[in-house]
């Protein structure tokens, strides 16, 4: 197997630049879906069920995209066609989803059904656009530069998050309405999705124009698929065989991911109501106070992302990668636990900065551990698609259990932040089971 060449900073940058636009779309979804569905009439005790769809689509779509792109070659490449198609569909759905309450449907149930279908399409397309960026790094970056490449991807991810999270707050400042008739999403959110869609397609077009994937012969030489027999194995192995043969690191990191992404699901689902109850003392989605809380939560998410960028710069200073990972998750767990106790909106900045520490580690470290462990295995796209199951499956489990856990703990959304903190503590402990070089 030939050693992959070193890539310049700008080539590494171009591999991931489109991720900036994809992450704006993902941030808008993460910060606003609960707010949108509460505004459309969803009951808070059933809110977590709407969050089953995003990870469900991810666990179905990403392995399929990975496997199909492993077997694909066009003049545009093997990963890029899936990236472009996913982005194009996401743009269309982003323009439709926030308008679900303005389509003239007769009942709240009908509105929620249409919103659910659009959410399913949005997350399918975002997953289809997101996964190729991770595969491009796995395909084209050598082991020595992989941490740097994923760090760049992490930076672009956080930069996109800041923009997407801040949009509703900024649009309110410049005069767009932050309230709307009952069952209708405010203009601040609608226009955030419109502008995010435009940025998404522009960023993806930039990546398509700048990145040239290796043709099949070079790809096979650099990724250890050197002859016809190996190439046949590359295309024919099924997912169960791949999982059975996966390195132990795949599963050990997967356990950490289970705790981390369960915690994140509870943040995305309940944090708008938790912040609104803690600071504004209301969870009424028809009130201006609730919508203000929704905008401020977007700013808190942006602060989390900025804190993540700073913390990502400090992570390499740890002598042990595992220790850096574990400490980051521990700080994030503390952040979640503090949310219900910060009654001033400015104090809420502290827990979200701590959560940003966990987010920085979650973005870069799992894929660094796993792609290094997969070196020489082949099936990089399929394996990374399957590894996405360690992101999606925990969210599905958490979504199914969210309403029940909340009822058991008294029916208050703020208590779900404590649950999220405990989950990240468990993730921090599970990091110690990862076997790696450091």
């Amino acid at each position: 197997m030939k050693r992959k060449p070193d890539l310049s900073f700008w080539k590494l940058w171009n591999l991931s630049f489109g991720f900036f636009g994809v992450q704006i779309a993902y941030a808008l979804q993460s910060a606003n879906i609960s707010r949108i569905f509460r505004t459309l009439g969803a009951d808070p005790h059933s809110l977590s069920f709407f969050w089953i769809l995003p990870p469900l689509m991810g666990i179905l779509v990403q392995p399929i995209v990975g496997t199909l792109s492993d077997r694909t070659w066009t003049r545009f490449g093997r990963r890029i066609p899936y990236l472009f198609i996913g982005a194009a569909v996401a743009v269309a759905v982003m323009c439709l989803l926030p308008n679900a309450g303005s389509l003239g449907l007769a009942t709240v149930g009908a509105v929620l059904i249409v919103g659910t279908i659009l959410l399913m399409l949005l997350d399918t397309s975002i997953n289809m656009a997101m996964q190729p960026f991770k595969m491009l790094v796995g395909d084209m970056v050598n082991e020595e530069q992989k941490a740097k490449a994923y760090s760049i991807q992490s930076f672009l991810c956080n930069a996109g998050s800041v923009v997407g999270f801040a949009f509703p707050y900024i649009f309110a400042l410049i005069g767009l309405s932050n309230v709307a008739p009952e069952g209708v999403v405010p203009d601040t959110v609608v226009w955030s999705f419109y502008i995010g869609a435009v940025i998404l397609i522009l960023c993806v077009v930039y990546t398509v124009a700048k990145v040239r994937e290796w043709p099949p012969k070079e790809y096979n030489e650099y990724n250890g698929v050197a002859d016809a027999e190996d190439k046949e194995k590359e295309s024919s192995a099924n997912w169960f065989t791949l999982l059975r043969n996966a390195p132990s690191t795949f599963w050990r990191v997967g356990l950490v991911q289970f705790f981390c992404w369960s915690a994140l699901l509870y943040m995305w689902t309940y944090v708008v109501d938790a912040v609104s109850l803690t600071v504004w003392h209301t969870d009424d989605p028809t009130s201006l106070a609730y919508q203000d809380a929704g905008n401020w939560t977007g700013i808190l998410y942006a602060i989390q992302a900025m804190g993540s960028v700073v913390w990502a710069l400090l992570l390499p200073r740890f002598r042990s990668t595992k220790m850096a990972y574990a400490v980051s998750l521990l700080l994030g767990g503390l952040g979640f636990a503090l949310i219900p106790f910060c009654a001033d909106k400015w104090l809420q900045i502290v827990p979200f900065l701590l959560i940003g520490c966990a987010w920085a580690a979650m973005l870069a470290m799992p894929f660094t551990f796993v792609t290094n462990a997969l070196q020489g295995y082949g099936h990089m796209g399929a394996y990374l698609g399957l590894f996405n199951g360690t992101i999606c499956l925990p969210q599905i489990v958490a979504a199914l259990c969210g309403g029940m856990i909340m009822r058991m703990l008294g029916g208050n959304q703020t208590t779900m932040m404590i649950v999220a903190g405990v989950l990240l503590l468990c993730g921090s402990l599970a990091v110690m089971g990862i076997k790696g070089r450091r």
Side-chain angles (χ1 to χ4, degrees):
M1 182 173 67
K2 289 174 62 176
R3 182 184 180 277
K4 297 174 184 177
D6 289 337
L7 300 179
S8 69
F9 171 84
W10 289 112
K11 287 186 177 179
L12 293 173
W13 176 272
N14 291 340
L15 277 177
S16 295
F17 181 74
F19 205 74
F20 175 79
V22 174
Q23 193 61 30
I24 288 177
Y26 191 68
L28 286 168
Q29 173 189 283
S30 301
N32 294 286
I33 287 304
S34 286
R35 179 182 180 183
I36 288 172
F37 277 92
R38 288 282 280 124
T39 302
L40 295 178
D43 181 86
H45 291 90
S46 61
L47 199 58
S48 65
F49 291 118
F50 294 101
W51 281 94
I52 294 173
L53 285 172
L56 180 61
M57 291 301 100
I59 206 170
L60 293 174
V61 171
Q62 295 211 25
I64 292 172
V65 170
T67 301
L68 291 178
S69 63
D70 279 343
R71 304 174 185 178
T72 296
W73 178 256
T74 72
R75 66 190 183 93
F76 300 106
R78 64 194 308 157
R79 316 295 187 190
I80 285 177
Y82 296 91
L83 160 64
F84 188 81
I85 293 169
V89 174
V91 166
V93 180
M94 287 176 72
C95 295
L96 291 172
L97 176 59
N99 293 300
S102 307
L103 300 177
L105 299 173
T107 65
V108 172
V111 172
L112 291 175
I113 289 171
V114 170
T116 301
I117 293 170
L118 290 172
L119 174 60
M120 179 180 67
L121 291 173
L122 177 60
D123 209 77
T124 300
S125 56
I126 288 177
N127 274 288
M128 190 172 179
M130 186 181 296
Q131 187 70 355
F133 288 106
K134 298 169 186 175
M135 297 175 191
L136 285 170
V137 173
D139 288 347
M140 302 182 69
V141 178
N142 62 43
E143 187 171 338
E144 290 76 16
Q145 288 191 300
K146 204 165 282 180
K148 181 179 181 181
Y150 281 124
S151 295
I152 291 171
Q153 197 168 98
S154 176
F155 170 80
L156 289 166
C157 173
N158 284 300
S161 295
V162 169
V163 174
F165 291 144
F167 268 162
Y169 187 84
I170 293 170
F171 287 141
L173 287 180
I174 65 176
L176 288 184
S177 176
N178 197 41
V179 291
E182 185 175 354
V184 177
V185 176
D187 286 346
T188 51
V189 177
V190 173
W191 279 95
S192 296
F193 274 76
Y194 288 168
I195 302 301
V198 172
I199 297 174
L200 167 59
I201 199 63
L202 290 176
C203 291
V204 167
V205 167
Y206 176 90
T207 293
V208 171
K210 290 291 186 178
V211 174
R212 291 290 178 269
E213 297 184 67
W214 289 320
K217 183 179 179 181
E218 283 184 83
Y219 173 87
N220 293 338
E221 291 173 351
Y222 284 124
N223 288 280
V225 189
D227 54 42
E229 182 180 350
D230 287 339
K231 195 171 180 181
E232 176 64 23
K233 290 179 182 178
E234 175 84 3
S235 64
S236 63
N238 62 55
W239 295 344
F240 296 105
T241 301
L242 295 178
L243 289 173
R244 188 172 64 248
N245 296 329
S248 63
T249 298
F250 182 98
W251 298 107
R252 292 173 186 268
V253 177
L255 178 62
V256 179
Q257 294 273 83
F258 182 87
F259 294 117
C260 292
W261 289 97
S262 295
L264 264 291
L265 187 281
Y266 289 143
M267 179 179 75
W268 293 329
T269 305
Y270 299 111
V271 77
V272 173
D273 283 62
V275 169
S276 185
L277 283 166
T278 302
V279 179
W280 278 267
H281 309 295
T282 182
D283 62 352
D284 178 8
T286 65
S287 67
L288 177 60
Y290 182 89
Q291 297 299 335
D292 285 343
N295 284 357
W296 185 247
T297 302
I299 294 299
L300 293 174
Y301 275 131
I303 289 168
Q304 170 201 316
M306 289 187 285
S308 179
V309 172
V310 175
W311 187 251
L313 298 176
L314 299 177
L315 286 176
R317 296 181 180 271
F318 283 82
R319 294 183 62 183
S320 165
T321 304
K322 289 200 297 184
M323 182 58 66
Y325 198 3
V327 169
S328 300
L329 299 184
L330 183 61
L331 291 173
L334 176 62
F336 278 124
L338 285 174
I339 288 174
F341 302 101
C342 296
D344 183 87
K345 73 175 188 178
W346 299 103
L347 284 178
Q348 288 285 343
I349 290 174
V350 175
F352 277 82
L353 284 173
L354 294 174
I355 294 168
C357 298
W359 184 240
M362 288 169 61
L363 287 176
M365 290 187 173
F367 286 95
T368 300
F369 278 117
V370 169
T371 54
N372 285 341
L374 290 172
Q375 196 66 38
Y377 271 67
H379 312 282
M380 182 65 75
Y383 266 120
L384 290 182
L386 290 168
F387 185 68
N388 186 66
T390 67
I391 296 174
C392 299
L393 187 59
Q395 294 179 62
I396 294 171
V397 173
L400 289 171
C401 298
M404 179 183 66
I405 293 173
M406 191 168 75
R407 287 187 181 90
M408 289 172 58
L409 297 176
N412 193 314
Q413 293 93 316
T414 57
T415 58
M416 299 305 291
M417 300 299 99
I418 306 293
V419 173
V422 172
L423 286 166
L424 274 191
L425 171 62
C426 294
S428 177
L429 295 174
V431 168
M432 294 299 104
I434 300 174
K435 292 183 179 178
R437 289 177 299 170
R438 289 191 296 160

